[in-house]
Amino acid sequence: DTGVSQDPRHKITKRGQNVTFRCDPISEHNRLYWYRQTLGQGPEFLTYFQNEAQLEKSRLLSDRFSAERPKGSFSTLEIQRTEQGDSAMYLCASSPTGAKLFFGSGTQLSVL
Amino acid sequence: QKEVEQDPGPLSVPEGAIVSLNCTYSNSAFQYFMWYRQYSRKGPELLMYTYSSGNKEDGRFTAQVDKSSKYISLFIRDSQPSDSATYLCAMSQGGGSEKLVFGKGTKLTVNP
């Protein structure tokens, strides 16, 4: 299967800890996206990369959040000093053109 | 007022029924309209993609966009139990912005 891969699938952490998620997009997809989804809501846009350049960021992406895509391939999303409100599903998607996004299965974060 | 409004349901129909799902939106700059299907604990999967107003058909699925009314619809004919999922509408402005704005999603159950 050459779909979008996210790791870990589940993460439980204590408030105040730092967490990092990884996303491996479909190879040769130059566009990569991070979204956040809470229960009963649709995904909310966080940020977008084209190759290694971070071109768009939501105001939801506070200074505790940082995303990187160092070589234009995989991406990481780090949350520092986690808060209970950060509990959500973090979804990664990739696309060759921007018209059709392919989502991974997400990382479910629980902050205790 | 949220940019995209979608009735969360839940919606329960018998197998073989025609299902109608819809969203309204407030941002007249939206040009690209999509429907995603999301199974439990999975990422969204693109079903239909439409640019501007009009209809698009793909098998049992028909998407309609009415930009004058700021209203989009998804119709599912001959619904199957395997169609049971949450259906999310999404839209974007294009023109350099890659951000998708999603509705809350409508949870559909098709009963055998």
Side-chain angles (χ1 to χ4, degrees):
Chain A
D1 188 325
T2 57
V4 177
S5 177
Q6 291 190 245
D7 184 67
R9 289 296 312 274
H10 300 93
K11 178 70 177 179
I12 300 173
T13 191
K14 293 182 179 178
R15 190 176 52 185
Q17 297 295 304
N18 298 345
V19 295
T20 300
F21 311 138
R22 178 181 171 120
C23 172
D24 287 274
I26 295 171
S27 61
E28 298 179 359
H29 280 192
N30 62 354
R31 287 169 162 80
L32 186 145
Y33 309 79
W34 286 97
Y35 282 79
R36 180 173 68 185
Q37 186 175 25
T38 54
L39 198 62
Q41 302 295 319
E44 294 177 296
F45 173 80
L46 292 177
T47 191
Y48 152 66
F49 290 86
Q50 185 161 339
N51 299 312
E52 66 275 9
Q54 189 174 18
L55 296 183
E56 197 170 356
K57 289 169 61 171
S58 164
R59 56 185 167 80
L60 291 176
L61 212 67
S62 75
D63 56 5
R64 295 185 300 106
F65 288 69
S66 63
E68 294 183 344
R69 195 182 183 197
K71 295 182 180 178
S73 57
F74 73 93
S75 176
T76 58
L77 177 67
E78 180 183 16
I79 309 174
Q80 296 182 329
R81 306 180 303 281
T82 52
E83 302 172 356
Q84 287 185 323
D86 297 331
S87 296
M89 174 78 82
Y90 289 84
L91 292 162
C92 176
S94 69
S95 175
T97 62
K100 181 174 181 178
L101 268 60
F102 296 81
F103 282 87
S105 291
T107 294
Q108 182 65 54
L109 173 65
S110 297
V111 181
L112 304 179
Chain B
Q1 182 187 13
K2 295 200 77 172
E3 278 190 292
V4 179
E5 299 279 2
Q6 183 176 9
D7 187 338
L11 185 61
S12 182
V13 301
E15 183 174 354
I18 295 174
V19 176
S20 172
L21 305 167
N22 54 73
C23 290
T24 58
Y25 63 94
S26 57
N27 187 348
S28 57
F30 287 141
Q31 297 187 74
Y32 301 90
F33 304 91
M34 289 135 273
W35 286 95
Y36 282 82
R37 177 175 63 195
Q38 186 173 27
Y39 293 113
S40 182
R41 300 188 189 88
K42 295 287 188 182
E45 171 194 14
L46 182 66
L47 281 177
M48 301 291 283
Y49 175 91
T50 310
Y51 170 68
S52 194
S53 285
N55 293 359
K56 187 171 184 178
E57 188 173 321
D58 184 0
R60 297 185 294 111
F61 298 90
T62 299
Q64 291 184 349
V65 175
D66 182 348
K67 289 189 71 178
S68 63
S69 301
K70 297 190 180 70
Y71 186 89
I72 71 170
S73 301
L74 177 70
F75 298 94
I76 307 174
R77 291 183 299 281
D78 187 26
S79 55
Q80 302 296 308
S82 58
D83 295 329
S84 298
T86 296
Y87 290 79
L88 299 151
C89 63
M91 39 201 87
S92 69
Q93 295 183 172
S97 173
E98 298 275 334
K99 172 186 170 183
L100 286 186
V101 181
F102 283 84
K104 281 188 174 185
T106 299
K107 185 174 173 62
L108 171 68
T109 300
V110 181
N111 301 298

